[in-house]
Amino acid sequence: MADENASLRPERILELSERLSAVAGEKIGEIAYVNRSAKMLAINALIVAARAGEAGRGFAIVAEEFKTISTQIDVVAAALESQVRADLDELTKIGGAILGHLRGQRLVDLALNAIEIIDRNLYERTCDVRWWATDSAVVDCVAAPSREASTYASQRLKVILDAYTVYLDLWIADTSGRVIASGRPDKYPGARTASVAETDWFRKAMRTRSGDDFAVCDIERVKALNDAPVATYATAIRAGGQANGKVLGVLGVHFDWRPQAQAVVDGVRLTDEEKARSRVLLLDQNHRVLASSDGKGVLEETFKLDTTSGDMGSYAEGARTIGYALTPGYETYEGMGWYGCLVQTSEEQKPAATFRPAVTTAPVAKLSAA
């Protein structure tokens, strides 16, 4: 089965074109070789016939006809060479175009799949934060602040964290932006005295219109979480846990970005051979690298992505083929304008097939002795 699958690779188009070119060149060269030998024999026959005089006249006619046939074979071989060369050049050109299209489309499909997995994953985070913000322990912590209420809320957050391992921590902040409870105060003690009043996620959550809304910001490193890169989702905590209740504070959930995103880019379905010459990327709306299969440039590199083809597309850039797809969103999650992207270097190819008839040196036919 493995051999059968290997034979169905698009690259086989060019491989077969190369092989056909070599075989055709070799066989036409052999025709030329045989024909040159035949010509020399015809010349020898004419010489012998001439010396035989009247007795060799009939033989001379046959030899002359054989020479004429050899000349005609030369014409046919030359025409065949010309036509085969043209057809093989066109076949190579078409094969290369088909191969480029198939490779590009496959990369687009893989890029779309990667960003869709991220979208589905992050959609669940929007559901989590809106649900947990209605938990009575979370609401009571900001509705009637006290040490006991904060302690109990922290315990509840820890229970959630023990079940949802994709989060680094969960924070409850009052309306002034002061964190009053967290799920892992021992592991991240910086959260105990943190103020999130100036963070985008806190300010956006405070402005949400109802408990059905949420806030999310780009991936960033959070000092209080040991400088880990996180995706923070937040929503307002409202009186009575009601969707239209008064805003009492904010719940922020810090999604552990690095391992989750790395699992996505590493999980793209490439063969081992393809992985060695491919780079899988997740990019934000400004094409900043959010995750990379080679682990390089995360949150530092800006990849020069050409999106002139639209939301999805592929293009060649030297020896590289680049395929990308814009986030389509998932359910009620519209996405952040992020991209899935694959960069693949072409397989090491021989030069495009060029028809060259084989040159075979024919032994020089010896003329008969005078």
Side-chain angles (χ1 to χ4, degrees), residues 127-259:
C127 298
D128 291 345
V129 71
R130 288 177 289 179
W131 169 31
W132 297 335
T134 64
D135 185 279
S136 60
V138 174
V139 174
D140 292 345
C141 182
V142 288
S146 68
R147 177 172 296 183
E148 292 74 15
S150 294
T151 299
Y152 181 61
S154 291
Q155 291 172 352
R156 286 288 299 146
L157 296 181
K158 183 180 183 304
V159 170
I160 294 173
L161 288 170
D162 288 342
Y164 290 79
T165 57
V166 297
Y167 293 103
L168 285 177
D169 207 356
L170 311 180
W171 294 354
I172 298 173
D174 61 20
T175 53
S176 69
R178 182 172 62 93
V179 176
I180 59 176
S182 64
R184 289 175 174 154
D186 295 333
K187 185 173 183 178
Y188 303 112
R192 299 176 183 176
T193 58
S195 172
V196 296
E198 299 304 315
T199 63
D200 285 342
W201 59 265
F202 174 80
R203 289 184 292 185
K204 289 179 179 179
M206 286 291 292
R207 294 196 298 268
T208 53
R209 296 182 178 181
S210 77
D212 296 326
D213 299 328
F214 64 91
V216 59
C217 297
D218 283 329
I219 307 301
E220 62 178 357
R221 297 184 184 277
V222 177
K223 185 177 180 180
L225 297 174
N226 298 338
D227 209 33
V230 299
T232 300
Y233 285 74
T235 193
I237 303 169
R238 298 175 180 272
Q242 298 300 310
N244 296 316
K246 178 183 177 182
V247 175
L248 304 176
V250 167
L251 173 65
V253 299
H254 301 294
F255 180 66
D256 191 2
W257 174 254
R258 180 185 288 127

Side-chain angles (χ1 to χ4, degrees), residues 322-361:
I322 300 165
Y324 69 90
L326 176 67
T327 169
Y330 183 75
E331 297 289 347
T332 57
Y333 180 65
E334 295 180 356
M336 297 279 289
W338 293 354
Y339 292 86
C341 178
L342 272 86
V343 182
Q344 190 171 91
T345 303
S346 300
E347 289 184 81
E348 186 176 347
Q349 296 282 349
K350 297 178 182 178
T354 300
F355 175 82
R356 295 183 183 279
V359 177
T360 306
T361 303

